[in-house]
Amino acid sequence: MTDNETRVAIVTGGSRGIGAEVAQRLAADGTAVALAYAGNKAAADQVVATIRERGGSAFAMQADIADEDQVSALFDATAERFGAVDVVVNAAGVMELAPVVDLDLAVLDHMHRTNIRGTFVVSRIAARTVRPGGAIITFSTSVTKLALPGYAAYAASKGAVDALTLVLAKELRGRDVTVNAVAPGPTATALFLDGKDEETIERMSRMNPLERLGTPGDIAEVVSFLAGPGRWVNGQVVYANGGMA
């Protein structure tokens, strides 16, 4: 890639929350963005419209990240439209909370399909596609360290993402492609806030020394660094959680 070529990113889960913020931040950095969404076309179209209103380049495409054919079509459409793929951010994910003894195994299978299989499918096609100088960024969670009750199945799925990320970084030796995971702490998105009462939200917001919830913008800053100038950070799980231990 020459210095004057526009970088191109694919962002999954880009219709809302952290994914939407990441898509907009990368576009503000001058990156052309393909935004993948599971089902909320109206929200995805709004993110694309916002990017274009600000002078950026973007389009949205529906894709089930656990379906290899659909993900391949997403990568093909991106390359056809923008010429190549440099950055892949897999922000798509689902979270269902319950104690181990109460968790419906159908819920476990659903999280496994999206969080593990989906991340694996996207990462494997990214590993075949991303050109030198590029970056693959997965999404983990700080709960893998915190071991909060009720989060076992979700944390287990993200622990698998950590393992995949660290191994893939080594498998891409010689390709000049970095592979890292971002592990947010409690962040003010619907994924985190839904189903929690005010007392729980307040308690969790004070678990880090900065005594607030993260914002999607906080996480997008980290992704922007890993997708661009952070070339010497590779094979890492980056905990973006305000110092939560």
Side-chain angles (χ1 to χ4, degrees):
M1 186 177 71
T2 60
D3 291 340
N4 63 351
E5 283 184 299
T6 298
R7 285 170 72 80
V8 177
I10 292 174
V11 180
T12 72
S15 63
R16 63 177 189 161
I18 290 172
E21 191 71 24
V22 165
Q24 292 174 77
R25 175 53 196 266
L26 292 180
D29 292 340
T31 305
V33 178
L35 184 155
Y37 64 95
N40 196 335
K41 183 179 187 302
D45 287 345
Q46 182 56 56
V47 175
V48 169
T50 298
I51 290 172
R52 290 176 176 172
E53 286 167 4
R54 296 171 179 172
S57 298
F59 77 98
M61 182 172 172
Q62 186 174 21
D64 174 358
I65 63 167
D67 185 309
E68 187 169 21
D69 291 338
Q70 292 188 33
V71 175
S72 292
L74 169 66
F75 275 74
D76 290 345
T78 303
E80 181 178 352
R81 183 147 184 167
F82 294 135
V85 178
D86 299 292
V87 177
V88 176
V89 183
N90 193 61
V94 295
M95 179 173 67
E96 299 283 350
L97 306 181
V100 171
V101 296
D102 298 326
L103 185 74
D104 186 332
L105 292 180
V107 171
L108 177 66
D109 291 342
H110 176 56
M111 278 196 286
H112 182 283
R113 187 176 191 280
T114 300
N115 296 352
I116 302 177
R117 178 185 167 90
T119 301
F120 197 98
V121 169
V122 171
S123 297
R124 121 187 250 209
I125 297 175
R128 298 168 178 170
T129 307
V130 169
R131 59 182 169 176
I136 299 170
I137 301 166
T138 62
F139 264 78
S140 181
T141 175
S142 291
V143 180
T144 55
K145 290 201 306 181
L146 297 171
L148 299 177
Y151 283 81
Y154 178 68
S157 73
K158 292 301 188 176
V161 171
D162 290 353
L164 164 64
T165 302
L166 303 187
V167 171
L168 183 58
K170 292 184 177 181
E171 291 181 346
L172 294 186
R173 174 183 291 274
R175 286 275 307 280
D176 189 24
V177 173
T178 61
V179 187
N180 294 287
V182 176
T187 305
T189 65
L191 183 70
F192 170 76
L193 296 172
D194 286 353
K196 293 183 176 68
D197 58 38
E198 288 298 324
E199 181 181 355
T200 299
I201 293 169
E202 175 64 20
R203 174 174 52 81
M204 295 187 75
S205 72
R206 297 179 66 83
M207 288 175 69
N208 68 75
L210 300 181
E211 296 188 333
R212 67 171 176 84
L213 292 178
T215 68
D218 292 327
I219 310 306
E221 289 279 358
V222 178
V223 174
S224 173
F225 174 72
L226 295 174
R231 299 302 304 163
W232 199 233
V233 180
N234 189 28
Q236 303 297 317
V237 178
V238 181
Y239 291 90
N241 58 26
M244 183 180 293

